Amino acid sequence: MEKIKMTTPLVEMDGDEMTRIIWKMIKDELLEPFVDLKTEYYDLGLMERDKTKDQITKDAANACRKYGVGVKCATITPNAQRMTEYNLTEMWKSPNGTIRAIMDGTVFRAPILVDFIKPVVKNWKKPITIARHAYGDIYKAVDYRVPEKGQAKISFKGESGEEWESVVYDFECPGVLQGLYNKDSSIESFAHSCFKYAINTKQSLWFSTKDTICKKYDGQFKAIFQKVYEENYKADFEKLGLEYFYTLIDDAIARVIRSEGGYIWACKNYDGDVMSDMVSTAFGSLAMMTSVLCSPDGKFEYEAAHGTVTRHYYKYKETGEMTSTNPMATIFAWSGALRKRGEMDGLADLQNFADQLEGACFDTLYSGIMTKDLVGLAEGIDAKAVTTDKFIAEIRKNLEKRLA
Ligand code: NAP
Ligand code: MG
């Protein structure tokens, strides 16, 4: 069989621990035998980040901007314990945070669904994708413990000399105080990313805030989304039969629970943080959750939502035996990136390969062969737990059948 050709390179970002081992297995068994893989490789493994003073992460993010599509392996975000473990020169920032800042993107998280894992919410039939505005609000807030009786004020001094001041509260006893902000430019980028991703995946977009209470703050989010929609995306949405739907966060939550899924739910930073944990848990497994970073100008970076699965890695290193770690989300990061590359470059074969690769994963799961994490969740199927290498070998067999 002749290998499928690529024209533009895909930005490949390698990572750490168990997912780094799985990364190589996926390439060796599921990609390179079938595709004449053209990637620009960046090693974001912690050692290399330390060696390059994290320049490698910035270079990789800029390459994503240049080529438009990247695929990333999970990486360690160092903490104090990692400083000693890897003898690091500095506690490098989260690579995902760095990449997100350079791409100015929004993260979309969506579950991979299989019939034999029933969502906790029984009417959910299709994926619910959460888009979280990962900038500002309480994550960049000024926090203060009010120690005694006194007056709290908030003020602004403009470059033009314009001044504004308001009393927050006359404290009659100790308490707490917080100052938050966000920026029009960041909210606009968030809106563009959401509408673009909705059109790309042909799903309707929901957006929710608490503008009845935060009239100016959340009101600005609502107004920017409406304006960006009307000026840029309304015509395309109508052509594709999609809906842009704004509602209050309380109403959104009630509707999400009653819905059958199949849309994107854009959330402010905190709402997205907590709701994405609720939605992913209710769908079944973190190991089956994919993540796409989409920039406002339409560049994409694909990855698994989970981390480097450290506990499995330590066990693997200790015993030398292959673990039963689920590679699904990492495989789908590759298929998502290859499909997008194929779409951008007009390569039908590459797009088809991405479909067949995902199909072969489902063939394997529906034949009852899966990793340990899924066996515990599977209902109405004779499920057997295998190690990651056996699972991938089975996917390869199914892929060969499909491509024959
Ligand atoms: P994690 O790697 O997601 O793993 C947490 C637990 O979830 C695992 O111990 C495992 O449970 C289960 N799990 C996650 N993915 C799985 C998979 N593919 N197959 C089977 N089980 C899976 O999170 P963590 O242990 O908190 O973090 C480990 C490292 O990853 C940290 O250094 C962190 O900085 C990094 N991290 C990176 C990213 C990223 O690059 N996007 C995201 C999150 C965390 P059991 O042990 O019960 O089997
Ligand atoms: Mg959270």
Side-chain angles (χ1 to χ4, degrees):
M1 197 191 77
E2 211 185 313
K3 288 194 194 180
I4 295 158
K5 294 268 180 298
M6 292 177 66
T7 46
T8 318
L10 190 61
V11 180
E12 175 188 351
M13 292 162 272
D14 210 340
D16 291 300
E17 301 193 311
M18 211 59 221
T19 40
R20 187 180 180 100
I21 290 165
I22 293 176
W23 192 261
K24 181 161 187 330
M25 289 164 72
I26 293 172
K27 283 182 73 180
D28 289 350
E29 293 296 316
L30 302 178
L31 304 174
E32 280 172 338
F34 309 98
V35 180
D36 203 353
L37 210 56
K38 203 169 167 171
T39 72
E40 195 164 290
Y41 180 85
Y42 292 86
D43 185 357
L44 300 195
L46 189 49
M47 300 299 281
E48 196 60 25
R49 276 181 278 147
D50 196 52
K51 210 167 91 189
T52 62
K53 301 202 169 308
D54 211 27
Q55 187 57 38
I56 188 94
T57 309
K58 291 167 196 154
D59 292 346
N62 283 316
C64 288
R65 295 206 58 79
K66 176 174 166 195
Y67 293 113
V69 191
V71 58
K72 181 181 167 289
C73 179
T75 46
I76 292 169
T77 299
N79 54 16
Q81 181 254 320
R82 300 293 196 175
M83 294 289 292
T84 356
E85 185 184 353
Y86 284 83
N87 196 17
L88 300 179
T89 56
E90 206 179 308
M91 204 187 288
W92 305 108
K93 285 194 196 148
S94 149
N96 289 51
T98 303
I99 297 167
R100 202 162 56 213
I102 291 176
M103 287 180 68
D104 187 22
T106 298
V107 175
F108 297 81
R109 270 185 166 206
I112 304 163
L113 299 192
V114 283
D115 293 346
F116 57 80
I117 300 176
K118 309 273 181 245
V120 176
V121 181
K122 62 179 188 292
N123 39 284
W124 286 359
K125 303 262 174 335
K126 297 179 204 159
I128 296 168
T129 303
I130 296 223
R132 171 180 170 191
H133 182 216
Y135 182 82
D137 301 347
I138 60 165
Y139 304 87
K140 295 264 184 187
V142 180
D143 235 5
Y144 182 61
R145 161 77 173 130
V146 175
E148 59 179 334
K149 199 173 158 185
Q151 188 175 64
K153 282 194 213 162
I154 186 168
S155 70
F156 172 78
K157 190 168 178 186
E159 234 182 18
S160 68
E162 149 121 20
E163 288 195 32
W164 172 82
E165 191 180 85
S166 180
V167 172
V168 177
Y169 191 61
D170 278 309
F171 282 92
E172 74 284 1
C173 66
V176 282
L177 180 67
Q178 195 171 55
L180 319 180
Y181 78 93
N182 222 304
K183 303 190 295 187
D184 283 7
S185 59
S186 174
I187 303 166
E188 262 164 44
S189 291
F190 176 46
H192 280 288
S193 295
C194 289
F195 288 116
K196 280 217 167 71
Y197 193 77
I199 289 169
N200 244 288
T201 58
K202 300 188 179 54
Q203 297 183 87
S204 288
L205 179 71
W206 296 15
F207 180 45
S208 55
T209 74
K210 192 77 179 172
D211 69 293
T212 44
I213 301 297
C214 308
K215 290 193 169 63
K216 299 243 167 73
Y217 200 113
D218 285 14
Q220 185 65 0
F221 276 79
K222 181 183 176 183
I224 287 177
F225 262 70
Q226 192 61 37
K227 183 162 182 282
V228 166
Y229 174 61
E230 275 164 20
E231 287 177 2
N232 306 277
Y233 302 103
K234 193 163 187 248
D236 283 342
F237 262 57
E238 281 168 0
K239 214 176 341 168
L240 291 166
L242 305 177
E243 186 192 11
Y244 168 57
F245 175 57
Y246 175 84
T247 188
L248 275 181
I249 180 80
D250 338 33
D251 181 51
I253 291 170
R255 285 172 190 263
V256 164
I257 296 295
R258 290 256 167 255
S259 77
E260 61 167 47
Y263 49 85
I264 298 158
W265 180 15
C267 292
K268 285 183 62 198
N269 209 347
Y270 174 77
D271 299 341
D273 183 353
V274 297
M275 286 303 145
S276 68
D277 283 358
M278 183 197 73
V279 169
S280 66
T281 308
F283 269 114
S285 167
L286 181 60
M288 296 284 273
M289 192 61 72
T290 62
S291 177
V292 184
L293 175 69
C294 171
S295 75
D297 56 351
K299 320 265 186 204
F300 298 85
E301 185 244 4
Y302 293 79
E303 60 174 291
H306 59 76
T308 59
V309 211
T310 310
R311 202 184 65 83
H312 294 209
Y313 180 63
Y314 287 165
K315 202 170 133 210
Y316 166 73
K317 270 213 313 197
E318 194 188 300
T319 63
E321 280 166 31
M322 200 56 218
T323 55
S324 185
T325 311
N326 193 339
M328 283 289 289
T330 306
I331 298 173
F332 275 60
W334 274 99
S335 60
L338 289 169
R339 182 183 294 110
K340 179 56 71 187
R341 196 64 272 167
E343 276 169 34
M344 284 185 175
D345 297 347
L347 304 172
D349 284 355
L350 195 60
Q351 293 175 59
N352 176 58
F353 174 77
D355 294 343
Q356 299 311 321
L357 175 56
E358 291 178 2
C361 290
F362 289 122
D363 295 344
T364 308
L365 291 175
Y366 286 119
S367 74
I369 298 171
M370 56 192 79
T371 45
K372 209 160 123 191
D373 56 307
L374 297 185
V375 170
L377 299 167
E379 286 175 40
I381 185 171
D382 192 9
K384 182 173 159 243
V386 296
T387 50
T388 309
D389 53 330
K390 298 228 167 63
F391 181 62
I392 288 178
E394 201 60 33
I395 296 171
R396 177 167 178 172
K397 270 191 227 155
N398 286 319
L399 183 57
E400 278 167 355
K401 269 188 229 155
R402 279 173 168 260
L403 295 174

